[in-house]
Amino acid sequence: MSSQLSTTTATTDLGSQPRYAAIKAYIRAQIESGEWPAHFRVPSENQLAQDFNVSRMTARRALSELTDEGVLIRSQGLGTFVAEPVPAGSLLEVRNIADEVAARGHSYSNRILKLEQTEANTEVAVALGLAEGAAVYHSIIVHLDNDLPIQFEERYTNPTLVPEYLHQNFHAATPNEYLTRVAPLTEVDTTVEAIGADEAVGTALEIKQGTACLQIWRRTKSSAGTVSFARLVHPGNRYRLGAQLRF
Amino acid sequence: MSSQLSTTTATTDLGSQPRYAAIKAYIRAQIESGEWPAHFRVPSENQLAQDFNVSRMTARRALSELTDEGVLIRSQGLGTFVAEPVPAGSLLEVRNIADEVAARGHSYSNRILKLEQTEANTEVAVALGLAEGAAVYHSIIVHLDNDLPIQFEERYTNPTLVPEYLHQNFHAATPNEYLTRVAPLTEVDTTVEAIGADEAVGTALEIKQGTACLQIWRRTKSSAGTVSFARLVHPGNRYRLGAQLRF
DNA sequence: TGTACATTCTTGTATATACAAGCTTGTTGG
DNA sequence: CCAACAAGCTTGTATATACAAGAATGTACA
């Protein structure tokens, strides 16, 4: 505090990131490394301010933002604590799983199990608003986080709304990335349920049959109609879907 | 700015709410009344500071928080604008299971498996913002739809925020119904995951152990603090959680 | 013994100030 | 005409300071 004389009067950093971001990164690192477990009491604002040679308000900002992000829990008079880990984004953010994996600092990859053009059965036809027997793209992809399967994705896409070459290039990125780029989505219908893994899912995700999984049905529509119809399956113990709602 | 002399040097408000909250409320009201439509440019920090007779940092806080909450969009050099409305509800609607059952034209009932006052362990204490060992209400209730168990509910309630008689009357309706009536909720934290039923859940829901279930963690907060912390388990094949998202 | 009070932590609110940085607009000079 | 520059707005980062308020702990007094 008293040693805070001339050198720094304000000035955004040289490197690039703001100072509060450095503190946030530090705290996140401590938590992710296991150094600071859940319920661990993190240093106080004043302590952090001293350690990082910043003002209390800057240290405070780091703690406050992490609290907003659900990483920490604060309590007046008591202190700041590491929150229960909930490594997941909101329902909306599930869209691009590659980004999500990257955000965790892990490596993303995928395996294409099926990529074909086929005829819509009744269920698919209804979901996509097509006639039964109409041509649709069908794909099954497994998404991996650090080579660990975290999502099984089966998708039916409406070919009248998405050019064929996109389908052929799904492996380059995720289908959603392409789809959102080409056809701006106007509405997403999501249904969440729990299932026991069947044989196909179990094999793809490398888990035992019957293991509890989170299954997300998603129908995405653009202004022109229903674009695609997907079924996303996550192993229950490897994924958490978080949602924060304010009103 | 110059008119900011003696009367207020700092001091938290008399009434109750902080000043930035008043500004937030004002902005929200303008938006909700339709006065400020989407893409409308809201007053600048300096303008608001002047209008509300607060410092720029306080006005800034109101704008920043509303931005975090998705109500506004800010852009350096340009200004602050009203965001596209995102009526993402649905997850919230799961709250009152009795209503939901009634809406299906079925008969609602429940079984109380536990109803006690106990001491908070570390996990519960942190979730409720209480000290370890503090008194909390603990309840386990099974909800039935036409005598078929559809939800296992385990709940920890903060007794400082909810009078005791409410706890004793939980069976009359659902806890959530009481809680929302007594303490208007300001925020709900929801996490969804898939689990295999353990023994307690299996027995209560009359399903085999290991059956895939949807587990919803929910932390509800009011302005006074965290009200309760619940764990809701649904048999996977008997429940569907719908969410509609527009953007 | 035990309650009441003061101290000392903590986080929360609020202000005033400074400078950085992005964008628009107007002005000036080639 | 138009490119370059200078103002003048905006938001963004950072500091120093002040006081409020919740929670724990120790202490003194009845």
Side-chain angles (χ1 to χ4, degrees), chain A residues 4 18-20 54-58 61 76-78:
Chain A
Q4 186 68 13
R19 305 206 208 188
Y20 67 81
V54 298
S55 76
R56 183 195 147 205
M57 292 309 284
T58 300
R61 175 162 184 179
Q76 189 174 164
L78 282 175

Side-chain angles (χ1 to χ4, degrees), chain B residues 166-188:
Chain B
L166 286 181
H167 186 246
Q168 296 302 329
N169 284 317
F170 269 178
H171 62 284
T174 62
N176 260 314
E177 205 172 317
Y178 269 115
L179 290 174
T180 51
R181 206 177 300 160
V182 154
L185 307 176
T186 54
E187 201 172 319
V188 180

Side-chain angles (χ1 to χ4, degrees), chain A residues 143-198:
Chain A
H143 301 277
L144 303 97
D145 175 336
N146 277 355
D147 298 324
L148 184 73
I150 55 163
Q151 187 185 86
F152 174 92
E153 171 188 324
E154 180 170 22
R155 179 181 297 269
Y156 289 91
T157 305
N158 188 335
T160 64
L161 297 176
V162 178
E164 196 221 351
Y165 74 93
L166 285 182
H167 185 247
Q168 295 302 329
N169 284 315
F170 270 178
H171 64 282
T174 62
N176 260 313
E177 205 172 316
Y178 270 115
L179 290 174
T180 52
R181 207 179 297 160
V182 154
L185 308 175
T186 55
E187 201 173 317
V188 179
D189 240 320
T190 305
T191 303
V192 179
E193 61 186 340
I195 60 162
D198 60 22

Side-chain angles (χ1 to χ4, degrees), chain A residues 28 69-70 85-97 99-101 103-104 214 216 218 234 238-245, chain B residues 91 189-192 245:
Chain A
R28 280 209 130 96
E69 291 162 25
V86 180
S90 76
L91 271 175
L92 284 171
E93 287 159 8
V94 184
R95 274 184 298 154
N96 190 342
I97 191 133
D99 281 355
E100 210 172 306
V101 169
R104 293 183 204 166
L214 201 61
I216 301 171
R218 178 166 299 153
H234 299 265
R238 292 187 205 154
Y239 195 80
R240 279 191 160 197
L241 176 62
Q244 254 222 352
L245 304 167
Chain B
L91 269 176
D189 240 319
T190 306
T191 303
V192 179
L245 305 166

Side-chain angles (χ1 to χ4, degrees), chain B residues 12-31 36 48-49 51-54 58-63 65-66 69:
Chain B
T12 318
D13 243 31
L14 351 103
S16 56
Q17 70 170 356
R19 304 206 207 190
Y20 67 81
I23 303 177
K24 285 177 69 176
Y26 167 75
I27 294 172
R28 280 207 130 97
Q30 295 301 308
I31 294 173
W36 294 356
L48 285 171
D51 294 352
F52 283 84
N53 233 271
V54 298
T58 300
R60 174 177 180 72
R61 176 163 182 179
L63 293 174
E65 290 197 1
L66 287 173
E69 291 161 26

Side-chain angles (χ1 to χ4, degrees), chain A residues 37-60:
Chain A
H39 309 131
F40 178 86
R41 176 170 173 169
V42 314
S44 71
E45 297 176 353
N46 284 316
Q47 190 60 51
L48 285 171
Q50 200 175 310
D51 294 351
F52 282 84
N53 232 270
V54 298
S55 76
R56 183 195 147 205
M57 292 309 284
T58 300
R60 174 177 180 73

